[in-house]
Amino acid sequence: DDLFLEFESVLGCDAKTYTILITQYSPIDINKSLYYYELCKEKQLVNSTIYSTIILSLCKNKKFNQAFLILEESKQDTQNDVHINSYNTLISHLLKNNLLDPISELFDDIHTSNLHINLHTRHLMDEYNNMINTINLNKANKKEK
């Protein structure tokens, strides 16, 4: 850390460097990733790539509440557009962990924000709808028995 701070004070770091640091520390120490995200914010270098990267890091570490908070931060950021990848990342990891409740809200958010929906988003919507339909079908079958 001291070496990084010394390096940074002499050369400075750009958003790309912070993206690499966040990614590198994610599997080792998510708090370090958050630390570099905060440093990046302090220096006003945060962009849509940084948001997507820290959200991915948090999701991989099952820190979904923090990922939601950063998604909210990104929506408040007037300098950067929220990127669909941030939503896709969060939705994908919620699906993998069977945390379906917040997903419809995220899809509503995407729709009201007029974000450009890509192929990955459409795939996630299909996957979510299939999971919900399966749950509803199972409930209906249990009621019949």
Side-chain angles (χ1 to χ4, degrees):
D1 284 345
D2 294 336
L3 183 62
F4 167 76
L5 292 174
E6 191 177 315
F7 168 78
E8 192 219 18
S9 66
V10 175
L11 298 175
C13 285
D14 60 3
K16 194 173 191 171
T17 305
Y18 282 108
T19 302
I20 292 166
L21 288 166
I22 291 167
T23 304
Q24 291 301 312
Y25 277 102
S26 173
I28 304 162
D29 183 356
I30 189 61
N31 291 325
K32 265 267 207 284
S33 290
L34 285 165
Y35 168 76
Y36 289 121
Y37 167 71
E38 291 299 328
L39 269 180
C40 190
K41 261 180 29 182
E42 276 177 31
K43 298 180 182 312
Q44 299 180 335
L45 295 172
V46 177
N47 57 31
S48 59
T49 302
I50 296 281
Y51 285 128
S52 293
T53 303
I54 192 64
I55 288 170
L56 175 61
S57 296
L58 289 165
C59 286
K60 284 182 174 180
N61 284 276
K62 297 187 183 331
K63 305 273 185 191
F64 299 114
N65 288 337
Q66 284 179 289
F68 269 102
L69 291 173
I70 290 180
L71 182 64
E72 285 302 313
E73 271 181 40
S74 74
K75 288 166 31 183
Q76 305 305 317
D77 184 343
T78 56
Q79 304 301 312
N80 291 290
D81 290 333
V82 180
H83 201 276
I84 192 68
N85 289 345
S86 294
Y87 280 95
N88 287 348
T89 298
L90 187 50
I91 291 168
S92 175
H93 281 82
L94 289 169
L95 283 169
K96 284 178 193 164
N97 287 278
N98 269 344
L99 300 169
L100 303 181
D101 290 342
I103 294 175
S104 66
E105 184 182 319
L106 290 168
F107 282 132
D108 288 345
D109 233 18
I110 290 169
H111 181 71
T112 57
S113 302
N114 290 321
L115 287 173
H116 176 70
I117 295 173
N118 60 25
L119 210 56
H120 188 212
T121 313
R122 290 189 198 288
H123 171 73
L124 292 170
M125 285 177 173
D126 289 344
E127 189 177 338
Y128 171 72
N129 287 328
N130 288 339
M131 288 176 88
I132 293 297
N133 289 338
T134 302
I135 289 168
N136 291 336
L137 194 61
N138 287 340
K139 283 180 186 175
N141 286 340
K142 283 181 184 176
K143 283 182 183 176
E144 286 178 14
K145 290 181 180 178

